[in-house]
Amino acid sequence: MKTLNETVVLFGRSMRHIQRSPDTIITVAIMPIAMLLLFVYVLGGAIKTGSDSYVNYLLPGILLIAVATGISYTAVRIFGDTKEGIIARLHSMPVSRSAVLWGHVLTSLVSTALSLVVIFGVALLMGFRTGAGIGSWAAVAGILALFTLALTWLAVIPGLTASSIDGASAFAYPLIFLPFISSAFVPTDTMPGPVRFFAEHQPVTAIVESIRDLFRGVPVGSDIWIALAWCVGGALIAYFFAMRVYRRVR
């Protein structure tokens, strides 16, 4: 209970920082929204995706890009606390060591969720429609939360070890561009062989296809199990290495 209370206090501290500087949520939402507008209204007419409207097809990939963008800010916040000695100061006090990191992780989950709500609102205005029921919505929220959790624990590592603020945030760039080599923007059967193989076997495609089927309100195939395996496995591995790095922080 003591660790939980301390985590809540540190989570509140981080959220107050975001409240005083809302550019985190705005920036995380603006870039994906700009891409949504660009691809739907400029390029969407030339992309064939079957029976779906292009905004319906595109939205799952845009949501994942927003998550990848948001966790770069998590790495920057942890980097700032490390370099300013705040984490070292907390370690010198009777504060649970795990509460320090979990405060940042909860902040990442909540701030990313707020950004996704903004993006979803814009998608609705652009014509996004869904046949998802309550169960499908809960499944979508769960997948996005797991994906955010996995990337957040990954962000902890550069946040603790980077030597500059640019280094702390740069690790997110490959993750932001990973959806471009997946089924997020175009069907994979239009891609040349090696690129198609990579696209069909990387985690983003399984996650995007699962969310797309859940939004359609149709039965989800094996993709959801592959997506869950990627998210849960990635979160556990990232957590293991993040804690190893964290134990060395004084």
Side-chain angles (χ1 to χ4, degrees):
M1 183 59 74
K2 177 177 178 292
T3 301
L4 178 61
N5 291 337
E6 291 167 350
T7 300
V8 171
V9 170
L10 292 169
F11 161 71
R13 166 186 172 269
S14 294
M15 288 303 296
R16 283 193 293 277
H17 286 174
I18 293 177
Q19 190 176 9
R20 285 195 289 268
S21 179
D23 56 301
T24 300
I25 293 175
I26 293 172
T27 304
V28 170
I30 281 180
M31 188 187 80
I33 287 173
M35 294 177 66
L36 189 65
L37 293 169
L38 172 68
F39 275 86
V40 170
Y41 292 130
V42 179
L43 304 174
I47 300 175
K48 306 300 180 188
T49 59
S51 57
D52 269 343
S53 68
Y54 192 58
V55 65
N56 280 19
Y57 185 90
L58 183 62
L59 183 60
I62 293 295
L63 296 177
L64 297 194
I65 288 176
V67 172
T69 306
I71 54 99
S72 67
Y73 284 91
T74 301
V76 169
R77 285 193 292 271
I78 295 174
F79 173 82
D81 280 359
T82 303
K83 294 303 178 186
E84 293 169 8
I86 294 173
I87 289 181
R89 174 61 176 159
L90 289 171
H91 286 176
S92 70
M93 300 167 66
V95 176
S96 168
R97 290 177 66 94
S98 62
V100 178
L101 281 190
W102 274 108
H104 281 291
V105 171
L106 285 179
T107 302
S108 175
L109 287 169
V110 172
S111 60
T112 300
L114 292 173
S115 300
L116 296 184
V117 168
V118 174
I119 294 168
F120 185 77
V122 173
L124 283 176
L125 294 175
M126 294 172 65
F128 173 80
R129 297 296 180 266
T130 173
I134 294 176
S136 295
W137 273 107
V140 170
I143 292 172
L144 290 172
L146 281 173
F147 185 65
T148 305
L149 187 64
L151 295 193
T152 298
W153 279 113
L154 187 62
V156 169
I157 299 172
L160 292 171
T161 59
S163 57
S164 68
I165 192 169
D166 291 335
S169 60
F171 89 100
Y173 294 142
L175 299 175
I176 293 171
F177 284 98
L178 201 57
F180 288 94
I181 317 173
S182 74
S183 65
F185 290 86
V186 296
T188 57
D189 56 11
T190 63
M191 302 175 185
V195 178
R196 178 179 178 179
F197 179 85
F198 176 81
E200 291 180 345
H201 294 87
Q202 60 121 320
V204 168
T205 293
I207 297 170
V208 162
E209 293 296 337
S210 299
I211 295 175
R212 199 172 278 150
D213 284 344
L214 289 167
F215 276 150
R216 288 173 180 148
V218 301
V220 182
S222 60
D223 281 330
I224 194 167
W225 301 113
I226 299 172
L228 289 174
W230 276 113
C231 292
V232 174
L236 290 174
I237 293 171
Y239 173 81
F240 172 77
F241 284 104
M243 292 307 294
R244 282 193 64 176
V245 172
Y246 185 54
R247 291 189 192 99
R248 299 172 189 162
V249 175
R250 302 296 180 189

